[in-house]
Amino acid sequence: MSEDTFIQEKFGKKQPFKVPADYFEHFADEMMAKLPEEGAKVVKLNARKPWKWAAGLAVAACLGGMIFYLGNSLGNSTEEANSFAAMPSQNTNYNDDFDDMVDFAMMDVSDIYYACAMDD
């Protein structure tokens, strides 16, 4: 059973809404009579407001200065970077430590693969 036949059986063919006689013939005249006589107000969309530009530039300059100041004060200067680079680290070669650990555990490559597979 289609929707149309179901609706017609349930409600019939009676139209619930009525349009007044000659409604669309006089519609345009009635609408024009309701409009105001004076023209619409013109609003400029591109009104220039220099104080907004100035405020935006001031905020950008403050943020840029703050980022520059914080970057230099947190140890990103060249003297401090060079002094840190000159210090020897305690554990320079991690591969040697790993090799020593594997030798101590007496594991070969197949044992390491097996251990990694069992962790998953």
Side-chain angles (χ1 to χ4, degrees), residues 36-42:
E37 292 292 328
E38 61 190 51
K41 182 180 176 183
V42 177

Side-chain angles (χ1 to χ4, degrees), residues 32-107:
M32 292 303 288
K34 292 179 182 178
L35 291 176
E37 292 292 328
E38 61 190 51
K41 182 180 176 183
V42 177
V43 178
K44 288 185 179 181
L45 295 178
N46 293 334
R48 294 182 185 241
K49 297 182 180 171
W51 58 271
K52 285 186 178 181
W53 284 94
L57 288 174
V59 168
C62 289
L63 287 175
M66 198 165 65
I67 290 171
F68 179 75
Y69 175 74
L70 290 175
N72 284 337
S73 67
L74 292 178
N76 290 338
S77 65
T78 56
E79 296 89 20
E80 292 176 1
N82 289 337
S83 66
F84 284 128
M87 283 194 272
S89 66
Q90 296 175 354
N91 207 356
T92 57
N93 197 349
Y94 295 105
N95 290 333
D96 289 340
D97 292 339
F98 182 74
D99 290 339
D100 291 340
M101 182 181 66
V102 170
D103 288 340
F104 180 74
M106 294 186 192
M107 297 175 74

